[in-house]
Amino acid sequence: YAALYKLDGINLDFENMYKTDKDVYTQFVREFYPLAKEQGLYVSVDVTVPDGSDNWSKCYDRKALAESVDYVCLMTYDQHWASSPKAGSTAELTWVEENLNKTLREVPAEKLLLGIPLYTRLWTTFTEDGQVKLQSKALNITSAWKEIEDNEAVVAWNEVSGQYQANFEKDGKSYQLWVEDADS
């Protein structure tokens, strides 16, 4: 298929694995790499940020994977994910820098690719049956700025996140966005 579609490479993106499968996955990548190289393909592998749960972060041997592929792509997004218990940025600058530095302890800089989000989340806080609820909806950046414009949201630069943060109220609900532009 790589020859048929004239691919330059293959990216391996295995997520939400069991921590106990870490070594098996690493061995799979080690065995896959020379077969892909025979076809003239680059091989990259995606990894999440180093800290976190067993199935999301601790299931990767980043050092061994880096030794076995051309590139390691660090997924620096979903700091605050769809069902996060707290509203926030998908990838605030301080969080990205911290996790980039941790990853560089295991992955050489010349092999590291930075995966960045091209989306954000519209966070909605509301009260239902006496309980405060939080929901989010993913938006691309263009849609996020349109949401801000349509709702005349208050927008301010957030130094910590390195992004614009917007807030507005509508129909008894509070909305928050952390959004990117060329500056961020």
Side-chain angles (χ1 to χ4, degrees), residues 4 13 31-32 42 72 94 111 113 118 124-125 137 171-172:
L4 176 67
D13 184 4
E31 292 179 27
F32 177 83
Y42 289 100
V72 173
T94 54
K111 285 195 170 195
L113 303 175
L118 297 176
T124 307
T125 305
K137 175 174 89 170
D171 301 327

Side-chain angles (χ1 to χ4, degrees), residues 6-181:
K6 298 179 180 151
L7 302 179
D8 292 326
I10 294 179
N11 174 259
L12 302 173
D13 184 4
F14 285 63
E15 299 179 27
N16 203 25
M17 298 184 297
Y18 292 109
K19 182 180 175 182
T20 55
D21 289 336
K22 179 195 295 192
D23 294 338
V24 175
Y25 177 62
T26 302
Q27 188 59 32
F28 163 73
V29 173
R30 282 185 184 125
E31 292 179 27
F32 177 83
Y33 183 75
L35 299 173
K37 293 314 277 183
E38 285 176 10
Q39 302 298 314
L41 299 170
Y42 289 100
V43 177
S44 62
V45 62
D46 291 351
V47 297
T48 57
V49 297
D51 294 330
S53 71
D54 286 354
N55 290 20
W56 190 246
S57 297
K58 297 176 184 172
C59 56
Y60 300 106
D61 184 339
R62 290 166 188 79
K63 184 178 184 314
L65 289 169
E67 293 167 355
S68 304
V69 296
D70 297 304
Y71 299 104
V72 173
C73 183
L74 178 62
M75 298 185 287
T76 53
Y77 42 85
D78 270 355
Q79 175 185 4
H80 295 90
W81 59 99
S83 59
S84 182
K86 179 183 172 192
S89 170
T90 56
E92 65 183 35
L93 183 60
T94 54
W95 180 82
V96 171
E97 287 177 336
E98 176 185 329
N99 285 293
L100 181 59
N101 286 327
K102 287 178 187 175
T103 303
L104 284 167
R105 293 181 201 139
E106 300 175 284
V107 177
E110 63 274 9
K111 285 195 170 195
L112 190 60
L113 303 175
L114 185 64
I116 59 171
L118 297 176
Y119 68 97
T120 189
R121 296 190 186 285
L122 174 62
W123 294 94
T124 307
T125 305
F126 59 96
T127 303
E128 183 177 89
D129 299 327
Q131 300 243 337
V132 176
K133 306 265 182 160
L134 178 66
Q135 292 178 337
S136 76
K137 175 174 89 170
L139 300 174
N140 66 39
I141 302 304
T142 303
S143 297
W145 282 107
K146 181 158 178 20
E147 191 78 39
I148 289 167
E149 182 182 315
D150 289 351
N151 290 287
E152 299 177 354
V154 176
V155 180
W157 181 255
N158 182 314
E159 287 294 329
V160 174
S161 71
Q163 302 161 316
Y164 290 95
Q165 187 172 348
N167 301 288
F168 63 93
E169 303 283 327
K170 183 177 176 181
D171 301 327
K173 298 178 180 179
S174 298
Y175 296 87
Q176 289 180 284
L177 283 155
W178 283 257
V179 68
E180 307 282 353
D181 75 347

